[in-house]
Amino acid sequence: MRLLSLLLIVALGILPIQAQLKSPSQFFGYELGSEFTRHYEVVDYFEHVASSNKNQVKLEYYGKTNERRDLMIAVISSEENVKNLESIRNNNLANIGITDGDKTKNNPAIVWLSYNVHGNEASSTEASMLTIYKLLTEKQEWLKNTIVIIDPCLNPDGRDRYVNWFNETASKPYNTSRQASEHSEPWPGGRPNHYLFDLNRDWAWATQIETQTRIKVYNKWMPHIHVDFHEQGINEPYYFAPAAEPFHEIITDWQRDFQIEIGKNNAKYFDENGWLYFTRERFDLFYPSYGDTYPTYMGAIGMTYEQAGHGMAGLGILNDEGVELTLVDRLTHHTTSGLATVEMAHKNAEKLNEEFAKFFNNKNFKYKSYILQGSKDKIDRLKSLLLQHGIKFGSPKNIKVTGYKYSTGTQGSINTSASDLVVSTNQPKGNMVKVLFEPNAKLSDSLTYDITAWSIPYAHGLEAIAATQEIEHFEVLERLYIEPLKDAYGYINKWNDLEDAKFLSALLQANIRVRFNEKPLIQKGITYQPGSLIITKGDNQKHKDFVNKLDSIAQEYRRQLSPISSGFSDVTPDIGSPDIKLINQPKIALLSGDGTSSLSFGELWHFFEKQLNFQVTVIHTNHFRNVNWSDFNVLVMPSGYYGSVLTEDNLKSLKDWISKGGKVVAIDGAMRAFTNDDSFGLQYKTKEETEKTPNLTTYANQERANTNQMITGAIFKTTVDATHPLAFGYGDQYFTLKLGNTNYKLLDSGYNVAYIDNNTKPFSGFAGSEAIKNLNQTMIFGEQPYGRGSLIYLSDNPMFRSFWENGKLFLINAIFFVNNNSFTL
Ligand SMILES: [Zn+2]
C-alpha cells in the first residue's frame, strides 16, 4: 500500500499533468467498429485526445450545423511545430503569394483528412479516431515535418441521422442478411445534410453552412494534400487515387504524378494485407465542387478514397461473393490509407512545398481577365461568393472591353463602368478563377457522370467578356445608403432578382398589400417593367405609420423604392387598372418523402426556408390522400417518381383542386406524372422510330457509344417569352443547365415560356450528338392552364444544387405571379 502510494507520487512528479491518452476502444469501453459512435461521443474523444496531448493537438471548432452539432478540426503535429503553428500557417500562405512575407523552403507538409462528408458512409469517422490515435502513439517520427489536420465529420447531422436510425433498428448481434431491415435505410437516408444537400457537390458553391464554415478554415490553411473519405457499394472493395479521366486541364503533371506515388504507397499496405482495391476508374477530376477537385484546383493533391460499405452495410453484411464485410474491416482500411498518405507527405515535405508554390505561380492563361456586368444584386452575390474562396476582384474604368462574349458565344465587346466587376487570373488563385469562369472547360474525355458545365456568368445570369489581356481594375468603396421613404401615393420596386423576392416575402408576411404590373408601367417618363412591385398607401390604410413600416423593410432588404405621386400614368395602365394585379398570398404545400427526390425536395426546402424566408407546409407523400386541399393554392412537386403517389383517387382530387384554381409547380421528374393524361398537355419528345438503326456497337465499346445519347449537364440558350408572368424579370433569352435527355414537346394549348429552338448546340459543356438533335423544339419552362388553375412545368430544375442563381426567379414567378388571380378556392 505504502509502496504503491510512493510509486504514485513519483509517477505524478515525473509525468506532465495530463490524462493518459486512451485508444478509442479504451475510451468508449467497446471495440472500435463493434458499434457506431454518435457525433457527440466523437467530439468527446477528440477533446480527450487534445487534453491528453496539449502540446501536440489543437482543436478548432469552426462552426455548428443546422441541428447545432459541432464542426471541428484537430491539428496534429510535433510539439515543436505546434508551438509555431501560426507562423507555419502564415509561411504556407506567403509561399503561395496569398499573404506578404518571406518564402521559406523548409515548412512542414500539410495534410488534411476529411471524413464522412456523406453521413451514411459511416466508417470513416470511426477511422478518424483510430488515425489520430495511431499518429500520436506510433507515428511521431512523421509529425516532425508534417501537420495533419483531421476533420472527423463534415456532415454530423447526416451521420447521426444514419447512426441513430441504425442503433434503433439493428438486431443484436447484427444480422448479415441483406434482407434484414438494418440494411435498408428509409427516405431520405443519412447521406445528405439537414437540408438534404449533397455536401460533396457543394464545395465551390458553398450554399450550405457546413461548407461555408469549412472553406473559411480550409482557405486559412491551404493544405498540400487533401483526402476525402467515402464509401461505395458493398461489392466494390476499395478505390484510391490515381483518379480516372477526365482530368481538368489545369491539373499539373506534378499533381498527376504524385497521386500515382500516393496510390502506390497505399497499394503497398493493401498488398501486404492481401486486400482488394482498384484505381484509375470511375472517379474523375472535373466538376469543381467535390472534396477532391476543389482542393486540387486550390493546388493540393486532392483525392477521394472509397471503401466498400455505405448505408446498406451496417455492422456487417454478406456481399454478392458471400464474404462478410464488417465495420471493423471498413475502418481498418480507411485508417491504413489515411496513414499511408501522411507517410508520403512526411517523405516528400520539401518537394510538396516547392510544387505547391509553383501551382500558384501559373501565368499561362488564355484569358487574363473576366469582366462581369449585371444588376447590383447579381454583382454583390458574386462578390460574396468570391470572398468565400479568397478570390480577389475589382472594378474597371469606363472603357470598351473586347473578347469572348458569353451571351452570343462569339467575339464581342461591352462598355464597362465602375459598377462592373473584373476578376483576373493574375492572382494566386488564378487557377480557380479559370475553372469557375472560363466559357467552356476543356474535357479530355466525355465519359463523366457529373455536369460538364458550370461557368459562373451563365449560372449567375451575368453578361461577361473573357479577355485575353489583363484589364486594369481598382477597388471601389460602396455607397450603402438607401434613401429613406417620403410620403407618396405609392412606391415601386423593380423585379429582377431573388433579393426583390425576399423583399416581397417580407412585405407579405407583414400583411402589406402589394400589386404587380403585367404590362410596362410608365410614370413621369420612367418605365417600370412587368413584375414590378407596386405598394400604394391606399391599399395599406389599415397600417398605422405605414410609410415608416415600409421604409424599415426596404432598408433591411436594401431596396431603393421609387415614389409615385399619382395613380395616373403617362399611358395606360394606371395604377387602378385590371392589368395591375394584387398579389394574393400563396399558401404553399411542398411534397416530401417516398417518391420525391430527396435532393430536389431539400433544394426547395432550403430555398423557401433559408433564402426566400417564406413559410411552406411540407407534406409527406404518404399523407397525400388526407390533405385538405382547400388550405392551399400552390402545390410544389419536387422531382421524383409519383407513380405510387398519384393513384387514381389522388389524381382525381388533384385535378379537381386545379380546375377550381389550384396551381401545381412540377419540377423535372415530377412532370412525368402528367404525361399519361392528355388533359395536361404534356408529351415526351423522343427519337423518331425511323431514325432507329440496329445496334452494332461491340460490347466493349457500349458505354462509350452511349455518350452519343448523353447530356449530363451542359448549358443551352433558350428563347424566352418575357411577356409571360413566369418570365418577369428576364430578358428574351435565358441560359439553362440541361441535366438529362428527357425532353418535352412544345405545348399545344399552353404557354411555352422558355424553349429551345432549332439548330441548338451547347454554349458550354458536353452533349452527345444524338441528344442534341432531340433538343430542337422542346419546352423548358411552360404553363398549361387547366380549368381556373394551372400546371407550371419547370423541366430543367432551376434549383439544382442551388447554384444556378439565375434560374431561381422562374420558380418565384411561378408562385407569386402566374395565374395569381385564380386563388379563389
Ligand atoms: Zn460518398
Side-chain angles (χ1 to χ4, degrees):
M1 191 69 183
R2 200 173 292 168
L3 184 66
L4 191 66
S5 313
L6 189 70
L7 277 175
L8 259 173
I9 292 159
V10 173
L12 284 171
I14 296 163
L15 291 172
I17 310 168
Q18 54 185 18
Q20 186 74 39
L21 175 62
K22 293 179 184 165
S23 71
S25 299
Q26 288 164 340
F27 185 80
F28 294 120
Y30 54 80
E31 278 305 308
L32 196 67
S34 66
E35 302 265 354
F36 283 105
T37 313
R38 291 185 177 88
H39 187 66
Y40 78 91
E41 298 170 315
V42 175
V43 173
D44 282 353
Y45 183 68
F46 275 84
E47 287 190 338
H48 159 72
V49 173
S51 67
S52 53
N53 292 264
K54 286 196 174 73
N55 300 328
Q56 282 198 271
V57 179
K58 294 284 169 216
L59 293 189
E60 182 178 344
Y61 290 89
Y62 65 81
K64 287 227 187 254
T65 66
N66 291 295
E67 296 171 20
R68 287 180 286 100
R69 291 187 177 87
D70 285 315
L71 295 162
M72 56 128 77
I73 52 168
V75 184
I76 308 120
S77 196
S78 66
E79 286 195 22
E80 188 63 24
N81 288 335
V82 169
K83 258 187 239 159
N84 300 311
L85 221 46
E86 268 309 279
S87 62
I88 290 170
R89 191 179 68 74
N90 282 319
N91 287 344
N92 185 47
L93 297 181
N95 277 347
I96 57 177
I98 286 179
T99 54
D100 299 331
D102 295 335
K103 298 189 192 307
T104 159
K105 275 219 152 138
N106 44 26
N107 221 33
I110 304 171
V111 184
W112 184 302
L113 305 175
S114 284
Y115 296 91
N116 234 127
V117 65
H118 290 145
N120 61 357
E121 300 171 7
S123 75
S124 77
T125 291
E126 309 287 342
S128 76
M129 297 189 279
L130 190 56
T131 303
I132 192 171
Y133 178 74
K134 284 191 177 268
L135 282 172
L136 290 165
T137 52
E138 297 171 16
K139 310 295 181 192
Q140 285 287 346
E141 189 59 29
W142 298 352
L143 297 177
K144 285 183 180 160
N145 68 345
T146 311
I147 309 274
V148 183
I149 299 173
I150 288 184
D151 185 334
C153 188
L154 280 67
N155 178 12
D157 291 349
R159 189 172 188 279
D160 267 4
R161 186 183 314 127
Y162 172 75
V163 170
N164 289 333
W165 165 79
F166 184 85
N167 288 345
E168 70 191 33
T169 305
S171 314
K172 285 213 172 185
Y174 62 82
N175 191 326
T176 59
S177 162
R178 212 179 290 181
Q179 303 195 58
S181 61
E182 65 205 63
H183 300 300
S184 39
E185 282 185 279
W187 191 97
R191 177 186 174 95
N193 76 342
H194 171 79
Y195 283 107
L196 308 184
F197 273 64
D198 185 334
L199 294 178
N200 192 33
R201 305 290 185 276
D202 194 49
W203 281 74
W205 321 129
T207 69
Q208 299 300 297
I209 189 77
E210 293 89 345
T211 317
Q212 289 158 2
T213 51
R214 180 184 351 104
I215 60 170
K216 208 174 201 177
V217 36
Y218 183 96
N219 277 282
K220 212 173 85 178
W221 272 102
M222 296 296 284
H224 308 146
I225 296 178
H226 180 264
V227 185
D228 203 31
F229 291 89
H230 288 259
E231 292 191 323
Q232 53 192 351
I234 58 170
N235 297 309
E236 291 146 0
Y238 201 97
Y239 161 86
F240 49 74
E245 294 289 341
F247 276 41
H248 194 284
E249 64 172 327
I250 65 154
I251 297 173
T252 63
D253 289 347
W254 153 257
Q255 286 176 315
R256 285 174 177 259
D257 292 345
F258 201 63
Q259 273 198 30
I260 298 172
E261 296 307 309
I262 291 174
K264 285 183 175 166
N265 198 48
N266 286 344
K268 188 184 92 181
Y269 290 100
F270 276 57
D271 290 346
E272 276 171 20
N273 286 290
W275 298 334
L276 293 170
Y277 56 86
F278 66 94
T279 65
R280 291 161 287 183
E281 293 178 71
R282 297 200 20 210
F283 300 96
D284 60 52
L285 291 174
F286 197 60
Y287 170 73
S289 225
Y290 287 119
D292 52 13
T293 47
Y294 181 89
T296 299
Y297 305 157
M298 287 293 193
I301 310 297
M303 296 173 296
T304 293
Y305 292 176
E306 298 263 357
Q307 161 64 42
H310 212 263
M312 192 183 195
L315 290 174
I317 192 168
L318 288 174
N319 73 11
D320 282 357
E321 297 174 352
V323 177
E324 186 182 337
L325 171 69
T326 65
L327 180 60
V328 175
D329 299 332
R330 291 151 63 198
L331 78 90
T332 307
H333 300 164
H334 267 339
T335 304
T336 304
S337 60
L339 289 172
T341 305
V342 176
E343 181 183 28
M344 287 301 285
H346 152 70
K347 286 185 171 164
N348 298 278
E350 199 174 324
K351 182 81 174 152
L352 272 167
N353 272 285
E354 190 185 310
E355 293 290 342
F356 192 62
K358 277 190 206 162
F359 182 89
F360 292 86
N361 214 5
N362 187 6
K363 298 275 183 284
N364 186 25
F365 295 107
K366 179 181 175 191
Y367 296 120
K368 302 280 192 288
S369 292
Y370 297 93
I371 299 89
L372 296 310
Q373 196 164 66
S375 70
K376 183 175 180 330
D377 288 329
K378 289 191 164 95
I379 294 286
D380 284 351
R381 181 173 300 118
L382 179 54
K383 281 181 184 172
S384 65
L385 180 67
L386 296 175
L387 285 172
Q388 296 199 70
H389 298 304
I391 293 172
K392 294 179 205 148
F393 50 81
S395 294
K397 298 201 164 119
N398 295 341
I399 50 165
K400 184 172 172 177
V401 180
T402 304
Y404 179 89
K405 192 172 188 177
Y406 285 66
S407 62
T408 58
T410 56
Q411 284 295 110
S413 58
I414 55 174
N415 293 314
T416 62
S417 75
S419 56
D420 300 335
L421 205 62
V422 177
V423 186
S424 163
T425 49
N426 185 16
Q427 60 172 308
K429 289 176 180 167
N431 282 306
M432 189 56 109
V433 171
K434 171 183 161 76
V435 171
L436 296 178
F437 286 89
E438 70 186 328
N440 210 341
K442 190 173 155 201
L443 199 56
S444 62
D445 187 326
S446 50
L447 208 53
T448 173
Y449 294 96
D450 210 309
I451 59 172
T452 60
W454 49 79
S455 181
I456 279 191
Y458 295 119
H460 284 236
L462 293 160
E463 179 58 287
I465 294 277
T468 51
Q469 75 279 20
E470 195 165 353
I471 305 299
E472 199 192 343
H473 52 280
F474 56 96
E475 217 178 309
V476 223
L477 291 173
E478 300 247 10
R479 201 179 70 97
L480 291 168
Y481 184 70
I482 302 278
E483 190 92 24
L485 296 182
K486 293 195 186 89
D487 195 34
Y489 176 84
Y491 308 87
I492 303 186
N493 185 67
K494 60 136 184 112
W495 182 263
N496 53 23
D497 200 89
L498 171 60
E499 298 306 312
D500 300 313
K502 287 181 186 173
F503 175 58
L504 171 61
S505 164
L507 294 176
L508 293 178
Q509 280 165 75
N511 288 315
I512 290 176
R513 284 157 73 90
V514 184
R515 295 177 186 272
F516 71 101
N517 55 327
E518 283 212 329
K519 292 179 178 163
L521 171 71
I522 306 169
Q523 285 232 345
K524 298 214 164 144
I526 302 170
T527 302
Y528 299 97
Q529 294 303 328
S532 297
L533 304 178
I534 299 150
I535 308 131
T536 70
K537 221 165 59 176
D539 274 336
N540 289 286
Q541 279 168 350
K542 69 168 185 182
H543 290 281
K544 272 188 282 175
D545 209 12
F546 168 68
V547 178
N548 278 334
K549 191 168 185 176
L550 179 62
D551 187 54
S552 75
I553 301 173
Q555 293 288 346
E556 187 185 342
Y557 289 88
R558 323 276 330 138
R559 300 298 95 185
Q560 184 71 67
L561 308 188
S562 310
I564 50 170
S565 56
S566 163
F568 194 89
S569 301
D570 297 7
V571 290
T572 57
D574 294 323
I575 299 297
S577 154
D579 286 331
I580 310 279
K581 292 179 170 161
L582 190 70
I583 299 179
N584 290 305
Q585 183 90 19
K587 288 172 277 180
I588 305 171
L590 169 62
L591 291 181
S592 76
D594 298 314
T596 67
S597 147
S598 62
L599 290 170
S600 180
F601 162 70
E603 287 153 6
L604 292 158
W605 182 23
H606 182 262
F607 175 73
F608 285 112
E609 202 160 295
K610 300 296 275 191
Q611 300 178 50
L612 191 60
N613 306 316
F614 195 85
Q615 191 169 41
V616 297
T617 303
V618 175
I619 295 176
H620 198 288
T621 48
N622 291 350
H623 302 138
F624 196 97
R625 203 160 48 93
N626 308 324
V627 175
N628 181 8
W629 289 106
S630 61
D631 288 350
F632 304 102
N633 47 35
V634 181
L635 170 66
V636 179
M637 295 173 66
S639 190
Y641 291 88
Y642 288 90
S644 57
V645 181
L646 292 182
T647 58
E648 207 173 313
D649 283 353
N650 285 346
L651 190 62
K652 192 177 165 297
S653 56
L654 187 65
K655 278 174 148 181
D656 189 46
W657 172 78
I658 304 172
S659 57
K660 285 185 195 148
K663 191 157 69 176
V664 168
V665 181
I667 294 171
D668 187 14
M671 287 166 61
R672 284 186 292 244
F674 301 104
T675 51
N676 300 329
D677 189 324
D678 287 345
S679 62
F680 296 121
L682 197 58
Q683 279 181 297
Y684 290 120
K685 181 167 186 285
T686 48
K687 216 164 112 179
E688 299 289 322
E689 266 317 297
T690 50
E691 291 174 33
K692 285 189 179 161
T693 47
N695 179 17
L696 296 176
T697 310
T698 61
Y699 178 77
N701 288 334
Q702 196 64 56
E703 189 181 24
R704 197 153 292 279
N706 286 343
T707 58
N708 252 341
Q709 317 283 345
M710 229 166 69
I711 299 179
T712 57
I715 299 170
F716 290 86
K717 185 160 91 175
T718 66
T719 303
V720 174
D721 170 8
T723 67
H724 192 283
L726 185 57
F728 284 173
Y730 290 95
D732 55 12
Q733 66 176 39
Y734 165 77
F735 289 94
T736 189
L737 179 64
K738 193 111 206 99
L739 293 164
N741 50 10
T742 303
N743 301 316
Y744 296 92
K745 288 183 183 170
L746 295 173
L747 299 171
D748 285 338
S749 56
Y751 300 98
N752 295 288
V753 182
Y755 58 94
I756 291 183
D757 222 327
N758 287 320
N759 304 321
T760 191
K761 64 172 177 47
F763 264 60
S764 182
F766 171 80
S769 53
E770 288 297 319
I772 291 173
K773 271 191 229 160
N774 199 37
L775 275 174
N776 290 330
Q777 300 280 307
T778 53
M779 184 259 296
I780 302 299
F781 303 139
E783 184 206 356
Q784 177 65 50
Y786 189 98
R788 292 175 57 85
S790 283
L791 292 114
I792 293 150
Y793 299 130
L794 303 178
S795 89
D796 289 348
N797 175 8
M799 313 311 285
F800 178 71
R801 295 177 190 167
S802 205
F803 91 103
W804 202 258
E805 299 291 351
N806 197 34
K808 292 176 181 174
L809 204 58
F810 281 110
L811 174 71
I812 296 164
N813 287 338
I815 284 163
F816 290 104
F817 293 157
V818 177
N819 200 1
N820 182 284
N821 279 18
S822 68
F823 297 169
T824 51
L825 293 153

